[in-house]
Amino acid sequence: MITFMNSSDSEEEACNERTSLISAESPPAASYQDGLQAPEAAETQTYRKRRSDGSCSPSDADGGNSDSGLPVRDIAVDNKEEEELTLKYGAKHVIMLFVPVTLCMIVVIATIKSVRFYTEKNGQLIYTPFSEDTPSVGQRLLNSVLNTIIMISVIVVMTVFLVVLYKYRCYKFIHGWLILSSLMLLFLFTYIYLGEVLKTYNVAMDYPTLFFVIWNFGAVGMICIHWKGPLHLQQAYLIMISALMALVFIKYLPEWSAWVILGAISIYDLIAVLCPRGPLRMLVETAQERNEPIFPALIYSSAMVWTVGMAKQDTASRDLTQQTWDSAEDVREIHENPAYVESEIFEARSPAPTHPTTSLLEELEEEERGVKLGLGDFIFYSVLVGKAAATASGDWNTTLACFVAILIGLCLTLLLLAVFKKALPALPISITFGLVFYFSTDNLVRPFMDTLASHQLYI
Amino acid sequence: PTSPCQPWSHHWGSGGGSQSPASDPLPWGARTQPLTRFPAWAPELSCSLSQCAGGGDSPAPAEPAGGRSPGSGSSPAAGGGSGGLWTGRGRVQVWAKLLRHDRGRVHWVHLHRLRAGAGPVRRRIAAEPLRLLFLIAGGFFWLVSLLLSSLVWFIAVQIGGSNNASVKKNLLIFGVVLSVLLQEVFRFAYYKLLKKANKGLMTISQEETMPISVRQLSYVSGLGFGIMSGVFSLVNILTDSLGPGTVGIYGDSPQYFLSSAFMTLAIVLLHIFWGIVFFDACEKKKWWALALVILSHLLVSGLTFLNPQYEGNLVPSYVIMMLMGTWAFFTAGGSLRNLKLCLMCRDKDFLLANQRPR
């Protein structure tokens, strides 16, 4: 689900949402929402995001948000134009999501292709206890299905636990959990990854240098992700931890289980986000009621800096739009030994008819908040493509086909988001396309292309 | 299963490899143009600017057309609005539109960095993501066509039995022909889809011009098809070239890599040209041109059956490519005069649309 979150002051004063990097106010105009919002609203929201996102730009000319009266816009005539403009924004937002997803996949594919460690079988996670080394196909299938059931139930339990914690306002627990998991990812997994890469390229590194590098990498990462930091640096760190998590999955999930888990997680995603009693939907609605963003460290936000400032801003209208927001967020957390968190992209519904038209900026810059995509989506996309790169005998053709399929699925998801204007899970369409293309390319296209290549034929 | 001809082709090497065709968005402010005054065709903008309710900075370098009465600003702004964000003229349309949105208030769009010229940036950035999207979607359509043709070929091979070499060759010919035909069918389907999408965008925006012209669409779709086709043909060969040097060990030609590279280049360019001619033929209902495109595609694929006799394959393919190239050039509106102007950097339209920042 693509989300634009609305930020408010959380309980922690030291690092509240206003200063945290990701969570800024959710703009009322999501990129794909048509008919109900004005581009000015988009710019209003982006401006507000800009304002509250102090980390993004040092030159915060935040000063003059004067409160002027809220103009009640006449949106009837302007809907079409707004729709065109939001669609235009939409294409940009799609590309803004394509880039990080592509980068994450490239990192995973490059690692899989070069570092042997991540394709070697070295045991399994405790969440997939059944081994797949059985001679019969039926037994193997059964084992993978059982593994999937266990994994999905762990995910469900974790999500429900998270929702319960959130409902009872145990923010400190949640934040501690998140900090612990990102500590694990940034230090332990990076250490292992770096070690394997150095081994692969036969580069010697002494411990002091290693400690220095890992310490700096991890410390800056923690600061960027949980506190403030330049936007691109934070995006880079989020991509890297998603890639690391995906590599762990690729390594430790047995083959058939991985595919079945991918399929099952898409279905679970669909259920959890769209069903009225789904845990993720409840989580998002709770967050919406409280006007808080959820777990800013788990969402990748792609912000753009626009160069148009609107003339007037209405803070009163901002409050109005906040009430009408309806953002849904899908966050799942799996607490393995390395705790990892995944979340879905989520989207805030555009505000109702009355929304501000313009925002006054005294500074000359306005930032349009792009879409937000949950890290879990990154992770599972990369798992799919990485598995395709690791195990497909059709090799690069299969990998590329899966890559294109996932991108197109993401594009379709964003399009659906524009149509339905509610929280949508990001996994199902992309994973379905990816799975279909993986199996069909590996089994159908590969022999065809091989035969063609052996005779040097071109089609 | 390794084919006897090239056992090395299945030794997919490790490491290296090509990158997937990632797309990078335009870096912010990469192409900024100076916008010193609003052109005459954006009267509403200058009109609204003159109505700015004070506050803030001066209206940047835009010189408001003086003498306009500060009215609501909506009525003069409501009209016009020709072009759009997408066309070359739509440099400031977005602001005009934004101004139109608010009917009852005076607005003033402050154009930041106007000195640096943000207008064309906005136009370009608005156009580029859409083009990029259509590029990737074009690649996806080619992929689907390949999938279907592989499916049919696979079924045919399973049915037809795999012992007879001539049967296999016939099935391969059948597969190639089917694949070419399916590619063209999917190109047509993509054309229909793009037209529908464009029409949708047009009705939404209530403007006469499309957000992206058919010519750009044809180019982009041809490029998408070409990129996917080229990548699928070449990437595995590239990976093998990193492997052990056993090319030709079973009697293959030592120019295998070179000829593959040249052929892939020809195919990619040909897809672009075919796309341009195809879309134009569909627009103007020139069915003979359509048939010619399909025939030339079949011809080029058929010529590859002459490999490893590369002279018989590459030379005619390149000749066909040149011919298609000139045909596409003239179809896309080029002419000798345009070419001359462009080469001598005197094409005013082009220069106007691509001013460098001062």
Side-chain angles (χ1 to χ4, degrees), chain B residues 58-123:
Chain B
S58 65
E63 298 129 23
R68 305 244 189 175
S69 61
S72 71
S74 56
S75 36
S82 64
L85 207 57
W86 309 99
T87 66
R89 306 175 38 190
R91 181 186 309 181
V92 292
Q93 297 302 331
V94 62
W95 291 289
K97 266 199 269 280
L98 295 173
L99 292 167
R100 277 200 298 273
H101 286 308
D102 195 276
R103 287 307 165 93
R105 284 178 72 84
V106 174
H107 284 293
W108 171 49
V109 177
H110 184 182
L111 298 169
H112 165 64
R113 248 196 261 165
L114 256 178
R115 295 164 212 87
V121 171
R122 190 177 267 256
R123 170 183 62 86

Side-chain angles (χ1 to χ4, degrees), chain A residues 102-397:
Chain A
T102 306
L103 282 176
C104 192
M105 290 191 204
I106 286 177
V107 169
V108 168
I109 293 175
T111 311
I112 291 282
K113 288 292 185 191
S114 50
V115 179
R116 286 274 164 233
F117 173 74
Y118 287 103
T119 43
E120 293 164 359
K121 285 293 298 176
N122 260 346
Q124 300 180 193
L125 297 168
I126 56 168
Y127 303 100
T128 53
F130 295 94
S131 160
E132 284 192 9
D133 280 333
T134 54
S136 77
V137 171
Q139 182 70 23
R140 188 171 185 184
L141 197 61
L142 182 68
N143 280 354
S144 56
V145 169
L146 289 173
N147 279 340
T148 308
I149 291 175
I150 296 179
M151 185 73 136
I152 300 287
S153 33
V154 167
I155 292 176
V156 170
V157 163
M158 286 297 158
T159 312
V160 169
F161 184 47
L162 186 73
V163 172
V164 163
L165 280 180
Y166 191 73
K167 254 191 166 8
Y168 292 106
R169 300 181 185 262
C170 307
Y171 294 127
K172 298 233 184 293
F173 191 95
I174 295 177
H175 280 116
W177 192 359
L178 287 182
I179 287 180
L180 191 66
S181 62
S182 43
L183 264 176
M184 279 269 200
L185 275 170
L186 281 171
F187 286 100
L188 181 65
F189 283 169
T190 310
Y191 170 72
I192 296 173
Y193 179 79
L194 194 60
E196 291 305 322
V197 168
L198 292 176
K199 262 189 237 174
T200 305
Y201 290 105
N202 208 14
V203 173
M205 188 182 267
D206 52 318
Y207 274 114
T209 310
L210 186 73
F211 173 74
F212 182 77
V213 167
I214 300 256
W215 169 252
N216 277 291
F217 181 83
V220 175
M222 288 302 288
I223 293 176
C224 271
I225 295 176
H226 292 281
W227 196 50
K228 294 191 214 185
L231 180 68
H232 288 308
L233 195 62
Q234 184 200 29
Q235 290 174 340
Y237 268 106
L238 289 174
I239 292 175
M240 278 192 270
I241 63 175
S242 308
L244 284 175
M245 202 64 228
L247 285 170
V248 166
F249 274 140
I250 294 172
K251 178 173 172 63
Y252 287 111
L253 284 181
E255 278 212 31
W256 290 23
S257 305
W259 299 115
V260 184
I261 284 177
L262 277 173
I265 268 209
S266 319
I267 299 176
Y268 165 69
D269 201 19
L270 201 63
I271 294 175
V273 172
L274 295 179
C275 284
R277 301 304 295 170
L280 303 172
R281 186 168 172 152
M282 280 171 41
L283 187 70
V284 172
E285 282 166 2
T286 315
Q288 192 49 45
E289 286 164 25
R290 298 181 195 169
N291 271 341
E292 298 170 345
I294 312 177
F295 315 130
L298 306 174
I299 316 286
Y300 174 93
S301 86
S302 56
M304 278 186 327
V305 175
W306 280 70
T307 57
V308 173
M310 295 303 288
K312 292 187 178 54
Q313 164 166 38
D314 314 278
T315 48
S317 57
R318 168 165 61 95
D319 296 333
L320 197 70
T321 59
Q322 283 177 4
Q323 291 155 17
T324 56
W325 282 339
D326 174 29
S327 75
E329 182 184 28
D330 177 12
V331 175
R332 283 197 305 259
E333 235 177 340
I334 295 186
H335 197 65
E336 314 172 316
N337 267 343
Y340 95 95
V341 189
E342 54 166 304
S343 47
E344 308 295 333
I345 58 175
F346 50 96
E347 171 230 1
R349 192 185 298 264
S350 70
T354 63
H355 45 266
T357 54
T358 57
S359 54
L360 171 67
L361 288 180
E362 292 212 348
E363 77 263 23
L364 302 184
E365 229 177 297
E366 174 182 286
E367 177 183 309
E368 170 174 316
R369 178 67 57 174
V371 293
K372 297 189 180 192
L373 182 64
L375 288 194
D377 299 325
F378 277 89
I379 293 174
F380 282 110
Y381 293 161
S382 308
V383 165
L384 193 145
V385 173
K387 273 283 182 196
T391 61
S393 40
D395 230 20
W396 288 101
N397 285 349

Side-chain angles (χ1 to χ4, degrees), chain B residues 249-330:
Chain B
I249 201 170
Y250 279 100
D252 302 320
S253 158
Q255 276 91 27
Y256 185 86
F257 289 133
L258 261 183
S259 63
S260 298
F262 275 111
M263 195 60 208
T264 309
L265 172 69
I267 292 279
V268 172
L269 289 174
L270 272 170
H271 268 293
I272 299 175
F273 302 146
W274 283 329
I276 296 176
V277 175
F278 193 98
F279 277 41
D280 184 73
C282 286
E283 284 279 300
K284 302 194 178 127
K285 311 267 187 245
K286 292 192 293 190
W287 306 121
W288 59 270
L290 211 63
L292 212 55
V293 164
I294 299 179
L295 279 177
S296 67
H297 194 169
L298 280 170
L299 183 61
V300 169
S301 282
L303 281 174
T304 60
F305 276 85
L306 291 178
N307 281 330
Q309 205 181 347
Y310 295 130
E311 312 81 30
N313 170 31
L314 278 181
V315 172
S317 298
Y318 269 78
V319 167
I320 294 179
M321 185 190 82
M322 306 286 189
L323 290 174
M324 287 299 301
T326 45
W327 188 8
F329 178 72
F330 287 110

Side-chain angles (χ1 to χ4, degrees), chain A residues 55-116:
Chain A
S55 52
C56 283
S57 149
S59 66
D60 239 351
D62 244 330
N65 296 331
S66 61
D67 287 338
S68 27
L70 165 66
V72 176
R73 285 190 57 254
D74 172 24
I75 60 162
V77 186
D78 302 322
N79 277 353
K80 302 264 163 89
E81 294 158 330
E82 297 150 16
E83 204 167 335
E84 190 210 353
L85 277 171
T86 54
L87 269 161
K88 281 170 191 151
Y89 294 160
K92 212 169 332 224
H93 288 125
V94 174
I95 300 296
M96 282 195 318
L97 275 188
F98 275 8
V99 173
V101 170
T102 306
L103 282 176
C104 192
M105 290 191 204
I106 286 177
V107 169
V108 168
I109 293 175
T111 311
I112 291 282
K113 288 292 185 191
S114 50
V115 179
R116 286 274 164 233

